[in-house]
Amino acid sequence: MIRFLVIIISVLLFYMEPIFGLFSPIELNSDFYVLVPRFLIIYLIFVAIYYDRKRAIIYAVFFGLLYDVFFIDIIGLYSFIYPLMCLVASFIAKYVYQHLLVATILTLILVAAVELLLFLFYTFIGIKSMTFTVFLQHNLIPTMIANFIFIVMFGWLFKYILLNRFKQKTLLLQK
């Protein structure tokens, strides 16, 4: 069962994102703040750091393509950005200590990069017409706070599951 746990968690997070997206935008003092849940890419970055880069990229392509087909109708956007972020995370993880705090900071930086790339793409093709300061105040900062809370709640669990799966995989290869 633990063998399929990595993919099961990915599927659950893929289905949880739009559910938590229903709670957004939040109105505070007559301003609307958009909280975009990025649970799946957070988990895939953790997979790239603590488990296996190749699997993380394969899962990122697969779920990015699913995200493109089901949610945005622009094929290739998420299926390019998700594997790119997993690749960057795995390369950086080679050169830094793989402590949970470092992984959290790296994940938050990469989630911010995902949001910035999406903003730039949507602005370039004309879907979004907001300024960068409005995007920063009403989209990026609330999204980063919400995703930081998610990482604080589940980051240690992801690390534990992925490291145990990695240990199990290496034991099977040694036999």
Side-chain angles (χ1 to χ4, degrees):
M1 180 64 184
I2 195 166
R3 181 177 171 167
F4 299 108
L5 194 56
V6 174
I7 192 73
I8 289 171
I9 293 172
S10 299
V11 170
L12 288 174
L13 292 175
F14 177 77
Y15 285 117
M16 282 177 48
E17 277 187 11
I19 293 170
F20 279 89
L22 294 174
F23 298 114
S24 179
I26 294 175
E27 182 180 3
L28 295 172
N29 299 329
S30 72
D31 284 335
F32 288 99
Y33 297 96
V34 178
L35 308 171
V36 181
R38 296 288 179 203
F39 305 151
L40 182 62
I41 190 62
I42 289 170
Y43 180 68
L44 292 175
I45 291 169
F46 270 76
V47 170
I49 293 171
Y50 291 115
Y51 183 51
D52 186 17
R53 173 180 48 184
K54 181 180 171 186
R55 286 185 190 244
I57 291 173
I58 290 170
Y59 295 159
V61 169
F62 176 73
F63 286 108
L65 190 59
L66 283 178
Y67 205 94
D68 288 337
V69 169
F70 287 116
F71 298 122
I72 66 164
D73 296 331
I74 300 174
I75 305 298
L77 185 60
Y78 282 88
S79 56
F80 172 73
I81 292 175
Y82 277 11
L84 178 67
M85 292 303 132
C86 290
L87 190 64
V88 169
S90 68
F91 282 137
I92 292 174
K94 286 181 184 178
Y95 300 108
V96 295
Y97 184 65
Q98 294 181 1
H99 189 271
L100 186 59
L101 180 64
V102 175
T104 299
I105 293 169
L106 177 62
T107 303
L108 288 174
I109 290 169
L110 292 176
V111 168
V114 168
E115 291 296 321
L116 287 171
L117 285 172
L118 291 172
F119 170 73
L120 292 173
F121 179 78
Y122 290 144
T123 303
F124 180 71
I125 64 171
I127 291 177
K128 285 191 178 184
S129 60
M130 67 174 71
T131 64
F132 183 75
T133 55
V134 171
F135 167 73
L136 185 69
Q137 292 173 349
H138 294 277
N139 287 31
L140 185 62
I141 292 174
T143 296
M144 297 310 297
I145 292 170
N147 287 310
F148 174 72
I149 292 169
F150 177 77
I151 294 172
V152 167
M153 289 172 51
F154 294 105
W156 61 272
L157 180 65
F158 293 159
K159 179 182 176 182
Y160 176 77
I161 289 170
L162 294 169
L163 285 177
N164 279 343
R165 177 63 185 127
F166 182 74
K167 289 176 188 174
Q168 182 187 40
K169 183 178 160 184
T170 55
L171 286 174
L172 287 174
L173 291 174
Q174 289 176 354
K175 290 183 180 180

